[in-house]
Amino acid sequence: MQQNNQNQQPRKKFDLLFYLIIILAIIGVFLLIQNLTRPNPKELSYADLVVALQDNTNEIDQTSLSAQPIGGENYQMFVISGNYKDGTQFTCNVTADQFNLLTNGDVTEYPVTILLYTLDENVFLSLIISLIPYVIMIGFFIFLFKSQGNGKAFDFGKSTARLSRGKTVTFEDVAGCDEEKEELVEIIDFLKNPRKYAEIGARIPKGVLLFGPPGTGKTLLAKAVAGEANVPFFSISGSDFVEMFVGVGASRVRDMFKTAKEHAPCIIFIDEIDAVGRQRGAGMGGGHDEREQTLNQLLVEMDGFTGNLGIIVMAATNRPDVLDPALLRPGRFDRQITISNPDVNGRTAILKVHARNKHLDSTVKLEEIAQRIPGFSGADIENLLNEAALLAARDNRKVINTQDIDEAIDRVMMGPAKKTRKITDGEKRLIAHHEAGHAVIGLKLKNSNIVQKVTIIPRGQAGGYALMLPEEEKYLETKQSLLDRITGYLGGRVSEEVNFNEVSTGASNDFQQATRIARAMVTEYGMSDLGPVQYEQPQGSVFLGRDYLKEKNFSDQIALEIDKETRRIVEECYNRAKEVIIENLDLLKTIADYLIKVETLTKTDIDEIEATGHLKRYDDLVAEKKNVVEVQPEVTPKAEETSPNTSSTDSTDETR
């Protein structure tokens, strides 16, 4: 610490001297410019001055005449200064007698008014007036330097990595990625006990790359590693290296690793590394010099001529496919950890983490919620519980109930409900039958996605939607399961055609999903008559410099056969969906009728309708309203028979 203070003192003295030299140089430049641009006054003799004053054209601006005495205390000489009317300056040296003749009117027809000032009386005032611009200039530059934080305006090449210490986040705050945490345990152990690994001859990975979909917790996991190891943690974004000036990014990389060596053992975390680590030479029309120089310097620092002992580099990205191969080789990012969306157990654990500071009703079961949100990332789950808390607070309740969770799930997936949107009765019936078609296919086909919730309340761009989920999460799909899924997507359009002999635009998204699966079966999975050949790779995000000129690896004849096979699969599934819909038309109409009445049906409601043909909660509500209506006619005649003077008490007694 003492050594750092000693190093800082010379640095401060150097900075002060540097600023002083800059200020003096600027003042010198301004003085030089002022002297060069100042016009040289014309020197006149006394005779010429008299002639100019006597000239009828009045060449001289007499209001500008001034005199300064010189030559000691007796003022034996005077310097008269003035301007011609065209702005030209002149000076004239005169004696005391000549000065008196001019001012008394003995030389000219009228006395000349000359402002007389002495150096002793006005020297300080004139000096102050002449220095005011320079004082203002110096003050401005001092303010500029201080506002930039001790001269950071000149630190273009300094690292902007932020250093954090302490256990702000630990593994207890990270859920749903137990295997990933196990991969990082030895990193933590190495940072705590590096000698144990050195004695056995083990080399700890120099770099750890975390990649996966957005919101899966890559940055949070890196912070947890730093918190568990209790070591300095430098965090920086990949975009912080890329600047307008070429060479600044490489300089910042050098400075960052230099600072990290002083704090070793430590962790350097680079978020969104694809901003600086993209493949070199993959740009359209040439490379990006600044990014490539920064990447080259990063490669050298990670595994160059000098080793970085005790420094672990962690990075996160959503696009590992665009990273430069040199970054991914052993010796640099030699450990790559995939962080995917959590499974049902992981979602349950994440829900428990984010529910710590929230008051949940006793009826809320986190395990059931986790089963209803497959595909949700950690960020989606956090947003889900936050939306539920906002809904509870909006209703002035202090506890989050199941209805809040249900509404929050719909909001996260589809957006808020548009209850004020005007829908005609015809559209309502059409949407109800469309969604009921999905529900019937899900009930009758074994491998089709099961409808967990169906509603005709508009959300987002959809007039209604059916939440279709698999009965259990699977990581492999069979050919029959894919065909059943396509059939389930087509159930809505088939229901429209069978019930109304008309079709609508509501099935556009269903067709998109069905066509995507069918084409993947033909071109990627080898599940068609074209055989086990992969004609296309899975469609991901396009990297322009690499994929723009990519050619297809099949002929036009094969492309035609791919289109025919895709169409054949979709048409067969469409015909199959029509058979199922026609066989279960009564069930479909019953579901659609109840959907029109209550607008939203859950899986439990759909199962009840399939088993009994009725929806008990709706029938009970109708019966209750009917009983209320039946009581009214008995009261009305008696009230009419009573005289106008009959009191309300008497009327009540008669009713009893």
Side-chain angles (χ1 to χ4, degrees):
M1 194 57 141
Q2 235 174 2
Q3 186 177 1
N4 291 337
N5 292 335
Q6 291 176 358
N7 293 336
Q8 289 176 0
Q9 289 178 356
R11 175 68 181 271
K12 290 182 179 179
K13 292 180 180 179
F14 175 78
D15 291 343
L16 182 61
L17 180 62
F18 179 69
Y19 300 148
L20 183 60
I21 292 174
I22 290 179
I23 293 173
L24 292 176
I26 293 174
I27 294 176
V29 169
F30 273 95
L31 289 174
L32 179 61
I33 294 174
Q34 185 177 2
N35 290 331
L36 292 176
T37 57
R38 179 185 299 168
N40 294 325
K42 183 179 180 181
E43 294 184 3
L44 298 179
S45 63
Y46 176 73
D48 294 335
L49 178 62
V50 171
V51 172
L53 290 173
Q54 291 177 341
D55 191 357
N56 294 330
T57 58
N58 294 326
E59 296 183 31
I60 294 178
D61 182 7
Q62 295 192 12
T63 61
S64 66
L65 293 176
S66 62
Q68 178 181 347
I70 57 176
E73 298 179 355
N74 296 328
Y75 298 153
Q76 299 175 358
M77 294 290 295
F78 291 86
V79 178
I80 299 176
S81 302
N83 297 331
Y84 289 101
K85 289 186 177 181
D86 61 358
T88 308
Q89 299 178 356
F90 69 88
T91 60
C92 181
N93 296 331
V94 299
T95 63
D97 295 337
Q98 292 171 340
F99 179 77
N100 292 330
L101 290 175
L102 288 172
T103 55
N104 292 331
D106 297 336
V107 176
T108 60
E109 296 178 357
Y110 51 88
V112 180
T113 302
I114 301 177
L115 178 63
L116 179 64
Y117 65 94
T118 61
L119 187 64
D120 296 335
E121 296 175 353
N122 302 298
V123 62
F124 295 107
L125 180 61
S126 61
L127 181 62
I128 290 174
I129 293 175
S130 63
L131 290 179
I132 285 177
Y134 304 110
V135 172
I136 295 175
M137 191 186 310
I138 293 173
F140 171 75
F141 278 102
I142 291 176
F143 170 76
L144 180 63
F145 293 145
K146 288 187 176 181
S147 64
Q148 293 295 332
N150 296 328
K152 288 185 179 179
F154 298 96
D155 292 342
F156 295 107
K158 299 299 180 182
S159 172
T160 58
R162 294 168 293 276
L163 173 62
S164 60
R165 296 177 180 270
K167 292 186 177 183
T168 56
V169 180
T170 61
F171 277 165
E172 294 181 358
D173 303 313
V174 183
C177 50
D178 296 334
E179 293 79 5
E180 291 80 358
K181 289 192 289 188
E182 291 178 2
E183 289 288 323
L184 296 170
V185 166
E186 65 182 26
I187 303 292
I188 299 171
D189 190 26
F190 166 75
L191 292 171
K192 291 181 177 179
N193 305 303
R195 181 176 299 179
K196 179 176 71 173
Y197 294 87
E199 290 177 351
I200 200 172
R203 180 183 65 82
I204 203 69
K206 295 183 178 180
V208 179
L209 180 65
L210 309 175
F211 61 89
T216 50
K218 299 179 290 295
T219 304
L220 183 66
L221 190 59
K223 291 181 180 179
V225 171
E228 290 289 337
N230 197 19
V231 296
F233 181 75
F234 293 90
S235 60
I236 191 172
S237 173
S239 60
D240 291 338
F241 294 110
V242 182
E243 291 287 350
M244 178 178 65
F245 306 103
V246 176
V248 173
S251 177
R252 289 180 178 178
V253 171
R254 287 191 295 268
D255 186 71
M256 180 180 66
F257 277 89
K258 178 182 176 182
T259 306
K261 289 177 183 178
E262 298 173 356
H263 294 81
C266 65
I267 293 176
I268 296 177
F269 176 66
I270 306 174
D271 198 11
E272 304 298 342
I273 193 175
D274 55 279
V276 70
R278 294 195 175 192
Q279 294 181 16
R280 290 168 290 183
M284 296 297 296
H288 191 294
D289 290 339
E290 167 63 3
R291 181 182 291 118
E292 292 189 2
Q293 286 192 21
T294 306
L295 174 59
N296 292 337
Q297 187 62 42
L298 182 62
L299 296 174
V300 171
E301 292 291 344
M302 290 188 67
D303 188 20
F305 292 103
T306 60
N308 294 317
L309 299 177
I311 300 177
I312 302 296
V313 181
M314 299 185 67
T317 181
N318 306 324
R319 298 288 309 274
D321 56 306
V322 305
L323 295 180
D324 194 90
L327 268 177
L328 306 179
R329 74 162 177 83
R332 291 191 177 119
F333 286 108
D334 42 11
R335 175 162 296 184
Q336 302 171 23
I337 300 177
T338 303
I339 303 179
S340 56
N341 288 326
D343 57 7
V344 62
N345 295 327
R347 294 193 296 272
T348 304
I350 295 174
L351 283 168
K352 292 179 180 179
V353 169
H354 292 297
R356 291 175 182 172
N357 61 340
K358 294 177 176 61
H359 302 285
L360 300 179
D361 189 74
S362 58
T363 58
V364 176
K365 305 298 182 183
L366 298 181
E367 293 79 6
E368 296 179 359
I369 298 174
Q371 293 177 353
R372 293 175 51 192
I373 52 175
F376 272 43
S377 64
D380 293 331
I381 295 173
E382 191 274 336
N383 188 34
L384 165 66
L385 290 181
N386 184 63
E387 286 288 342
L390 291 175
L391 291 171
R394 188 179 302 170
D395 292 340
N396 297 319
R397 289 182 284 103
K398 296 184 178 180
V399 178
I400 302 172
N401 56 31
T402 306
Q403 288 75 20
D404 297 329
I405 300 292
D406 293 340
E407 177 64 20
I409 293 175
D410 293 338
R411 280 174 169 264
V412 173
M413 295 180 64
M414 301 292 296
K418 298 184 181 297
K419 299 180 181 179
T420 59
R421 180 182 292 179
K422 180 64 176 176
I423 300 178
T424 63
D425 293 338
E427 287 179 331
K428 195 172 185 179
R429 293 183 65 249
L430 185 64
I431 295 172
H433 284 78
H434 178 103
E435 305 301 342
H438 291 304
V440 169
I441 298 295
L443 289 172
K444 298 303 178 180
L445 294 186
K446 179 180 179 181
N447 296 311
S448 178
N449 289 344
I450 299 175
V451 176
Q452 301 289 334
K453 182 179 182 180
V454 60
T455 179
I456 59 174
I457 298 176
R459 287 183 182 273
Q461 299 296 324
Y465 79 96
L467 178 61
M468 298 184 294
L469 301 175
E471 186 174 0
E472 56 184 8
E473 291 187 49
K474 297 180 293 185
Y475 295 96
L476 291 177
E477 294 282 359
T478 62
K479 181 178 180 180
Q480 189 59 47
S481 67
L482 292 176
L483 292 174
D484 288 350
R485 284 179 59 187
I486 296 174
T487 306
Y489 283 123
L490 299 176
R493 167 58 71 87
V494 172
S495 177
E496 294 177 8
E497 183 180 350
V498 170
N499 288 280
F500 300 97
N501 292 323
E502 187 62 271
V503 293
S504 69
T505 59
S508 60
N509 186 63
D510 298 332
F511 291 158
Q512 180 182 359
Q513 299 294 335
T515 305
R516 180 183 60 82
I517 296 174
R519 188 171 184 86
M521 292 176 62
V522 177
T523 60
E524 298 177 24
Y525 307 142
M527 296 179 178
S528 69
D529 295 340
L530 295 183
V533 179
Q534 188 178 59
Y535 297 101
E536 295 177 355
Q537 295 181 354
Q539 294 295 323
S541 300
V542 176
F543 184 38
L544 186 62
R546 181 191 60 199
D547 300 331
Y548 180 71
L549 299 176
K550 189 175 181 180
E551 297 180 357
K552 60 182 182 180
N553 55 355
F554 49 85
S555 64
D556 294 338
Q557 180 64 30
I558 294 296
L560 178 61
E561 294 184 12
I562 289 174
D563 293 339
K564 290 182 178 179
E565 280 295 307
T566 303
R567 184 182 304 160
R568 181 187 63 81
I569 292 175
V570 174
E571 288 178 351
E572 288 181 357
C573 293
Y574 191 88
N575 295 330
R576 188 182 179 200
K578 184 177 290 188
E579 294 175 1
V580 175
I581 292 295
I582 293 175
E583 290 175 0
N584 301 274
L585 193 58
D586 293 337
L587 175 61
L588 185 146
K589 290 182 176 296
T590 304
I591 294 176
D593 290 341
Y594 277 112
L595 194 56
I596 294 173
K597 295 172 182 176
V598 300
E599 293 186 336
T600 300
L601 295 175
T602 63
K603 181 179 182 300
T604 305
D605 296 334
I606 295 174
D607 292 340
E608 181 183 351
I609 294 172
E610 182 188 18
T612 64
H614 298 280
L615 183 60
K616 187 175 183 300
R617 65 182 177 91
Y618 176 76
D619 294 342
D620 293 344
L621 181 63
V622 172
E624 183 179 350
K625 290 183 178 180
K626 184 177 181 181
N627 293 333
V628 173
V629 172
E630 288 176 354
V631 173
Q632 297 299 330
E634 298 178 359
V635 178
T636 303
K638 292 182 178 297
E640 293 177 351
E641 291 174 2
T642 57
S643 63
N645 297 327
T646 304
S647 66
S648 61
T649 306
D650 296 338
S651 176
T652 305
D653 292 339
E654 287 185 1
T655 303
R656 292 177 183 174

